Amino acid sequence: MPTSLARLPKELLAQICEYLSLKELGLLNSTAKFFQPVVNEILIKKLKSQQIKQIAAGYLHTVFLQQDGSVWTCGNNDFGQLGIGNYHNQNKPVQVPLEKVQRIIAGGYYTVFIKTDGSVWACGQNNCGQLGIGNYDKQNKPAQIPLEKVQQIIAGGDHTLFIKTDGTVWACGYNYSGQLGIGNCDDQTKPVQVPLEKVQQIVAGDYHTLFIKTDGTVWACGRNDSGQLGIGNYDNQTKPVQVPLEKVQQIIAGGDHTLFIKTDGTVLACGRNDSGQLGIGNYDNQTKPVQVPLEKVQQIIAGGYHTLFIKTDGTVWACGRNGSGQLGIGNYDKQTKPVQVPLEKVQQIVAGDYHTLFIKTDGSVWACGHNDNGQFGIGNYANQTRPQPLPKYQKLQALIQKLQEKVSQASNTKTNIPVLRVDFR
């Protein structure tokens, strides 16, 4: 190593290393001990940028947003919902040609993206205008939606809603049951305004929509054939009507069922219950919210026909349909009451129609359930009844941990750090 390089300030070396690829940094780390203290820190930083920020799940596809703003997708791609420019299914995550993404949303067979500049993009199925681009043409690459100042997007089965920064709500897509809340049953290919103000949260099921207003009131519209609107009857609603429920802090919508977390921590559920997805111990549909026998719940996630709960102690519980192993409990038996999933330290869960993914506190990603379209991203098509780690992110976490150990060793000793060979090929 030339002595001139040894005289370079650490800060300058770090700046130079920032411009190197992971492969180049790995080579430098493996062959030049002089660079290791700086390179290890830069490697950790770059590897952490590949950690998962968010996951979204459609019916049969999965979308991963990394910390660096890149998006990766896998699973079913019949309608171009993976956004990779073709219609081929993928059993390993493939990168979407879209940068600087800050949020991802998955509908039934489509995907929506919000970029850091505020622009909104979408791809996939568009037979009802759910992409909001003014036509019915499916898109296999992200196309821009002509809507500005969007702060939140919600996707149902075939309909999409937007909350703008001014608090107004807009909707497009399938509207056969009145799920857009615009007073009719006409599909919309471009976002139109919903006559509801001061909305702070929206959730969408397959064909129904619920809203929480800033005053704490809950409103609902759309299909109600299973009582999923929680209004005490089975009548569809084309405009939002108030749900007789107070002090609600969070709503969660599954395919045809709805759950509510109240400010006192109690959980209530209504709607379709043919698989026990309400978690109330039976298979009876409910037209009004009834209490779920589970306490200290901090997060709920609803799939098409199954429901998962994260409790304040970090444990995960699940109920509902389990024909593909989507509950992650090691069998295919549906559950009418929440049972514990053998997975700890879970911080985020997403659920598709028949598959479930978990992000643990260490950044690793796990999946169970239906995988015949490759929606797990693990390189095969085998269903799993227990959560299995995704190799890409498991290896990433292991490498970060090793590098952090090297940095820790370096801070505690003045001797040369042992060579850690890193291969990013």
Side-chain angles (χ1 to χ4, degrees), residues 18 22 25 29 36-51 396-408 420 422 424:
E18 287 280 4
L22 282 172
L25 285 168
N29 178 283
Q36 286 179 6
V38 173
V39 172
N40 282 339
E41 292 181 4
I42 300 300
L43 275 171
I44 291 171
K45 179 180 177 182
K46 284 183 174 285
L47 290 171
K48 283 187 173 181
S49 74
Q50 295 187 3
Q51 289 180 313
L396 178 67
Q397 291 310 121
L399 186 52
I400 290 173
Q401 184 177 352
K402 286 182 180 180
L403 287 167
Q404 287 175 331
E405 289 173 358
K406 297 300 179 183
V407 170
S408 178
L420 171 64
V422 185
F424 291 100

Side-chain angles (χ1 to χ4, degrees), residues 177-181 220-224 229 231 233 235-241:
S177 300
Q179 57 263 49
L180 300 188
C221 62
R223 182 176 293 183
N224 195 33
L229 300 189
I231 56 176
N233 58 47
D235 301 330
N236 292 355
Q237 302 293 328
T238 62
K239 286 185 178 181
V241 296

Side-chain angles (χ1 to χ4, degrees), residues 77-113:
N77 197 31
D78 288 349
F79 302 97
Q81 60 263 47
L82 301 189
I84 56 175
N86 59 49
Y87 299 99
H88 305 308
N89 293 358
Q90 302 292 330
N91 64 17
K92 290 185 178 180
V94 178
Q95 188 168 0
V96 179
L98 199 64
E99 298 179 344
K100 298 180 179 179
V101 175
Q102 66 178 2
R103 186 161 180 79
I104 50 175
I105 304 93
Y109 295 106
Y110 68 105
T111 309
V112 187
F113 315 82

